[in-house]
Amino acid sequence: MSGQRAGGHPRRRLALLALLAASAFVTVVDATQGAGTGPPAAGEPAPSPVHLLTRYRVVGCRSQGDVAYLHGPHRREVAIGFDDGPWSDTAAFVRMLERNRARATFFMIGDQVNADYRTTLLRELRDGDVLGDHTFTHPNLTQTPDVYAQLERTIRVTRALTGYTPCVFRPPYGAYDESIIRTARSLGLATVLWNVDPSDYSLPGSAAIERRVLEQVQPGSIIISHDGGGPRGETLAAYPHIIRALRARGYRIVTILELLDFHPVYVRCVRLCDGIGVSRPELPHGAIIERAS
């Protein structure tokens, strides 16, 4: 039997070095400090091999801006947002996205966020989807005196059920004003609207939904559709065709975080990762690893 040096097989050593290099593109910050991006500071030690066994779970995101975002930068990317879930059809939307290797942002009504949907919401997080705030009871916020409570209660129930704190918010009916934007910002939420609306809630048929999206889309678009609030089979049937057509036009399908250059936040799994833990090299570019204070 031939001998082998303590360093292991050359291919395995190269693979390990590649994983260590990939981990250098993740920012590490203290929980009490602001977010940052970029490689580690000069002189910071490279991760040891044990870090490759450490798992991290997503716990939220960091957004910015005191405006209502209708679209992202003018680049060949689009983001899809599904509203009014979680709902009986939401799990089917998650499976559809998985089959098509796409990610989306789910803007949720807090009053519907309950234990029945925990598995589905964790699956969304595992897949790289984003959870957003769509108020607690879906009111017109410009006619509601308790805007803060509508947003904060949804944040609270989402965090309690999934461990994730949203950083993006979509006002029901697109109704907002400057006061609502300021209130959302005080809770760490960016206000996100849309510039592509197929009016799928009116049940126009899957072909009409597809046609309307593709007629309106442009670089940097944010698309609104619905996974809840009623029967959504037409929307579900339309989106595989929409995703394929967008990619044929050269578009990348991204989350709203990616489109707007916001950052997901991860922490090291102390006990259980709820099935959504990833290794450090698997963290997305620009992710923040937050240390407990």
Side-chain angles (χ1 to χ4, degrees):
M1 180 182 295
S2 61
Q4 183 173 307
R5 290 186 295 174
H9 194 283
R11 289 184 180 177
R12 286 196 289 272
R13 291 200 303 275
L14 288 173
L16 177 59
L17 289 172
L19 289 173
L20 292 174
S23 67
F25 290 94
V26 179
T27 300
V28 181
V29 299
D30 189 275
T32 61
Q33 297 176 346
T37 57
E44 183 177 325
S48 65
V50 72
H51 286 157
L52 302 178
L53 304 177
T54 302
R55 311 295 287 179
Y56 300 86
R57 62 163 291 160
V58 65
V59 295
C61 50
R62 292 191 183 171
S63 59
Q64 60 189 10
D66 297 315
V67 300
Y69 292 93
L70 298 172
H71 56 79
H74 189 84
R75 59 195 183 207
R76 211 94 182 147
E77 296 176 342
V78 297
I80 302 165
F82 292 117
D83 290 14
D84 295 353
W87 195 257
S88 55
D89 288 329
T90 300
F93 277 80
V94 175
R95 293 191 295 271
M96 178 274 294
L97 291 169
E98 290 171 348
R99 288 193 299 270
N100 289 277
R101 300 181 180 275
R103 295 187 300 273
T105 303
F106 289 86
F107 289 97
M108 305 186 302
I109 298 173
D111 195 36
Q112 298 169 193
V113 175
N114 60 58
D116 292 341
Y117 295 110
R118 185 172 187 270
T119 298
T120 296
L121 300 185
L122 290 177
R123 186 168 175 174
E124 291 174 22
L125 294 175
R126 183 200 68 188
D127 290 347
D129 299 319
V130 173
L131 306 183
D133 191 325
H134 198 40
T135 73
F136 197 76
T137 60
H138 204 271
N140 182 327
L141 290 180
T142 63
Q143 302 171 8
T144 302
D146 59 345
V147 172
Y148 185 95
Q150 282 285 334
L151 301 182
E152 191 275 335
R153 289 179 72 188
T154 301
I155 291 172
R156 186 155 26 99
V157 297
T158 302
R159 183 167 53 225
L161 188 66
T162 68
Y164 183 93
T165 301
C167 73
V168 291
F169 144 71
R170 175 170 282 165
Y173 316 108
Y176 73 98
D177 55 29
E178 292 301 318
S179 174
I180 292 169
I181 293 175
R182 288 193 300 271
T183 300
R185 187 70 261 156
S186 74
L187 288 164
L189 298 167
T191 302
V192 178
L193 283 89
W194 61 87
N195 67 348
V196 175
D197 181 3
S199 299
D200 62 317
Y201 56 84
S202 66
L203 305 180
S206 58
I209 294 170
E210 178 184 354
R211 183 182 69 254
R212 292 171 182 178
V213 168
L214 298 178
E215 287 175 349
Q216 298 175 48
V217 76
Q218 55 189 293
S221 279
I222 298 174
I223 306 169
I224 182 175
S225 288
H226 299 78
D227 65 310
R232 298 298 173 220
E234 294 178 1
T235 305
L236 185 63
Y239 264 90
H241 303 285
I242 291 169
I243 291 168
R244 284 194 293 270
L246 289 173
R247 286 175 171 155
R249 295 184 184 184
Y251 285 101
R252 292 181 62 236
I253 313 297
V254 299
T255 66
I256 284 173
L257 298 191
E258 294 171 298
L259 186 73
L260 299 178
D261 296 318
F262 298 158
H263 301 284
V265 176
Y266 287 75
V267 297
R268 182 174 176 175
C269 297
V270 176
R271 293 186 180 180
L272 299 176
C273 291
D274 284 323
I276 63 174
V278 297
S279 66
R280 184 161 176 165
E282 294 174 299
L283 293 173
H285 184 80
I288 296 169
I289 298 177
E290 195 171 65
R291 294 194 183 104
S293 57

